[in-house]
Amino acid sequence: MIIRAAREEDAIAMGQVMVATYLAAHQGQMPADAWAKRAEEWTPAVSARGWARTLREIASGERPQDCIYVAVDEGGAIVGLAMGGPANVEEFPQTGAVYALYVSTRHQGQGLGRRLVQAVAADLAQKGMTALQIGCLAANAPARRFSEAIGGRLVGERLFDEDGIMLLEVVYEWADIQALVAPGQPKERRSA
């Protein structure tokens, strides 16, 4: 498996992974009507269009602080993705955030989530961010265990708006983003 920067042509596969994994992960973790609405309206094609737009914005420089990485299996299929960028700039000016982290159910438990987070952390560290946060639904016990297993410290709670339904989210933090940067990845911002 390799981890690489996402490209616009990856958008269709990213949409498929994101929707399938999101729906599998969050069934039973949110009100049934909110989950059903998401399942009905948020198709892989809708997600793919969003990913394609975001990847174009990153490539054009409109979103210079953001990054997206994908996990690709031996056959060339995308089986995971992670997106990151700045956290709340006003409150945490040098803190990055993982906005999305999804690994297909079949490929979970193989270290891909950790490797995707490491890739995002290395990218954000190069952009001058010194800490990292990941949020997940409070009811998502597997995601919480994952964040704790890779060294995240629970630092707070916040509400997440899922189409008008407020869901409790917990926030994990790495005060030193370097703790997540894998050996062999760039560890500090390069200056000219």
Side-chain angles (χ1 to χ4, degrees):
M1 301 264 186
I2 64 165
I3 306 297
R4 64 164 172 78
R7 303 183 287 253
E8 189 175 346
E9 59 266 23
D10 298 328
I12 292 171
M14 291 170 64
Q16 293 167 341
V17 168
M18 175 83 175
V19 170
T21 307
Y22 179 96
L23 293 175
H26 298 307
Q27 189 168 21
Q29 296 177 357
M30 58 194 329
D33 54 339
W35 186 91
K37 183 176 186 211
R38 179 63 85 119
E40 180 182 327
E41 296 175 359
W42 188 50
T43 66
V46 168
S47 181
R49 285 192 295 275
W51 284 118
R53 182 180 55 253
T54 300
L55 287 162
R56 282 192 301 274
E57 290 169 352
I58 290 171
S60 72
E62 291 176 60
R63 297 173 75 157
Q65 297 292 309
D66 291 351
C67 61
I68 302 174
Y69 287 87
V70 291
V72 183
D73 71 10
E74 296 79 15
I78 292 174
V79 298
L81 61 94
M83 179 178 180
N88 183 317
V89 177
E90 291 79 34
E91 283 185 63
F92 308 107
Q94 290 188 296
T95 300
V98 173
Y99 303 148
L101 175 62
Y102 291 93
V103 175
S104 69
T105 306
R106 212 180 83 195
H107 292 88
Q108 291 176 7
Q110 299 175 19
L112 293 178
R114 176 186 297 266
R115 290 177 59 201
L116 285 162
V117 170
Q118 289 171 328
V120 168
D123 191 298
L124 297 179
Q126 289 224 323
K127 293 172 179 166
M129 294 177 209
T130 59
L132 186 75
Q133 293 182 344
I134 295 177
C136 67
L137 291 179
N140 191 341
R144 294 181 74 162
R145 283 191 301 271
F146 169 79
S147 293
E148 292 164 4
I150 64 170
R153 184 175 62 86
L154 183 62
V155 294
E157 296 179 343
R158 60 187 176 207
L159 292 175
F160 173 76
D161 185 352
E162 176 67 33
D163 285 329
I165 298 171
M166 302 308 284
L167 302 174
L168 185 62
E169 191 174 60
V170 291
V171 180
Y172 288 88
E173 183 175 79
W174 291 259
D176 179 4
I177 202 168
Q178 298 301 329
L180 284 166
V181 177
Q185 289 181 317
K187 290 196 178 234
E188 56 191 50
R189 187 176 189 177
R190 308 232 186 264
S191 55

